[in-house]
Each structure stands twice: as structure tokens, then as C-alpha cells.
């Protein structure tokens, strides 16, 4: 893997600066009480530059959207030989729980999203996109049609389990329980 060039690093730094400024302002004052221009000013960029990096105000808070989708797909495609899809997804979510959910601002971020209708709607549409990409990766993995209902169901259940897992004090135990249910059903289906 090659290192990104100077121009790409600069773009990444600008994008991160915008996302950090947005998070700071939104957490301090609420999403609806902060304008895009204020975020751009805090990040020391123009509004035009802000929108080159983020297509909407809501997307400012979900700056890891593409990385999240890629990591879900990689969890399926790059899992060790013999590991089931549900087990790979469980490992992925346990790792994510250790990273994101333990971040000191995670609880504040969740409260902000849950208390803001436009952010809840954006998050739902983001998860729907991820669900489709994940379902397609699962279907390709088992040689099923891309619209296979079993793959769509597994993707949906796995993504919905994330909120249940992150909401529990013992996230690893919650992941074991939920993905245990998915594993038994998936394994039974794959034997037929």
C-alpha cells in the first residue's frame, strides 16, 4: 500500500478539521442551533470547501460513513477460512464497540443524534446503504443472487444488533448472545 501524496493528505486534514469543528459546535450548542457557515469558519475553510467534502449538514457528523461501509464488507470478504459470516460480523462489532463506544464523546454523540430528527433520519439512510452493501457482499460470498432475502435479512439483523450491543454495559456478552442467535439460524440455513 502506498502512502497518500501531499495533496491527498491535505484533503484528509481539511476534511478532518471540518468534521472536528462540526462535532465540537454541535455538541456544545445542538445541531439545529449551528449553521454551516459557522462550522466552515471554525475550520477555517469556505462554505464551498466544506460542501466539497460533505454533501449535507447532517453528513458532517457521520464523517466515517464510507470507512464504516468498507470495514463491514471487508469483515465478510477477508474473514479467515472456516469462519462464518455471523462470527466475522460479531468480531467486527465487538472491535467497533471497543473503539467508538468507549470514546469519551460517544455518549454525547448518541444523545445528539437521538434528539435530532434530521440526524436520526440521516443515520437511518446511512445504515440502509450499508445494509445493501453488506447484503451484496454476503450474497457474493455464498454464491447467491444479490437480492437473496437470506443475505438481506442477515445484513439487516447484524446492523440492527449494533444498537443493542452498544447500549449494553457488557458489549461483548451482548454480541455473543445476539450473534449466537444469528449463527444458529445461518448455520441451519446453509445446511439445507
Amino acid at each position: 500500500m502506498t502512502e497518500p501524496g501531499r495533496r491527498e493528505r491535505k484533503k484528509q486534514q481539511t476534511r478532518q478539521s471540518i468534521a472536528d469543528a462540526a462535532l465540537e459546535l454541535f455538541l456544545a450548542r445542538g445541531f439545529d442551533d449551528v449553521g454551516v457557515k459557522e462550522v466552515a469558519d471554525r475550520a477555517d475553510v469556505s462554505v464551498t470547501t466544506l460542501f466539497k467534502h460533505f454533501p449535507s449538514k447532517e453528513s458532517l457528523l457521520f464523517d466515517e460513513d464510507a470507512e464504516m461501509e468498507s470495514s463491514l464488507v471487508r469483515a465478510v470478504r477477508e474473514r479467515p477460512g472456516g469462519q462464518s459470516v455471523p462470527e466475522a460480523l460479531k468480531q467486527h462489532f465487538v472491535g467497533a464497540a471497543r473503539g467508538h463506544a468507549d470514546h469519551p464523546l460517544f455518549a454525547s454523540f448518541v444523545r445528539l443524534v437521538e434528539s435530532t430528527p434530521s440526524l436520526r433520519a440521516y443515520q437511518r439512510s446511512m445504515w440502509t446503504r450499508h445494509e445493501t452493501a453488506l447484503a451484496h457482499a454476503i450474497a457474493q460470498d455464498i454464491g447467491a443472487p444479490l437480492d437473496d432475502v437470506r443475505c438481506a435479512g442477515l445484513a439487516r439483523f447484524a446492523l440492527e444488533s449494533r444498537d443493542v450491543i452498544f447500549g449494553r454495559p457488557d458489549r461483548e456478552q451482548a454480541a455473543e448472545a445476539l450473534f449466537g442467535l444469528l449463527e444458529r439460524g445461518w448455520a441451519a440455513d446453509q445446511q439445507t
Side-chain angles (χ1 to χ4, degrees), residues 103-167:
H103 190 281
L105 296 177
F106 184 75
S108 299
F109 172 83
V110 169
R111 280 192 300 276
L112 177 65
V113 172
E114 289 177 352
S115 67
T116 310
S118 63
L119 292 176
R120 283 195 320 266
Y122 186 90
Q123 184 179 45
R124 169 58 39 212
S125 71
M126 180 183 76
W127 281 117
T128 300
R129 286 191 315 278
H130 296 340
E131 180 182 313
T132 300
L134 181 57
H136 287 175
I138 295 167
Q140 289 169 341
D141 183 74
I142 67 167
L146 291 181
D147 65 349
D148 186 275
V149 70
R150 299 165 303 156
C151 300
L154 180 57
R156 163 122 0 131
F157 299 143
L159 290 175
E160 291 293 334
S161 71
R162 177 186 178 273
D163 290 339
V164 176
I165 291 167
F166 281 19

Side-chain angles (χ1 to χ4, degrees), residues 53 141 172:
H53 291 276
D141 183 74
E172 290 191 39

Side-chain angles (χ1 to χ4, degrees), residues 50-104:
L50 182 145
F51 282 121
K52 283 181 183 176
H53 291 276
F54 296 94
S56 68
K57 181 180 175 185
E58 289 79 12
S59 67
L60 291 166
L61 275 177
F62 297 97
D63 59 304
E64 296 178 359
D65 182 6
E67 293 85 2
M68 290 169 62
E69 183 173 301
S70 294
S71 68
L72 282 165
V73 170
R74 275 194 316 276
V76 171
R77 290 186 177 151
E78 298 174 7
R79 70 188 191 282
Q83 185 181 57
S84 69
V85 171
E87 178 64 22
L89 292 171
K90 178 190 81 174
Q91 293 297 325
H92 172 77
F93 285 119
V94 166
R98 286 187 192 123
H100 283 91
D102 293 332
H103 190 281

Side-chain angles (χ1 to χ4, degrees), residues 28-39:
R29 298 206 335 258
F31 181 77
D32 294 326
D33 293 331
V34 175
V36 173
K37 179 161 179 13
E38 190 174 355
V39 173

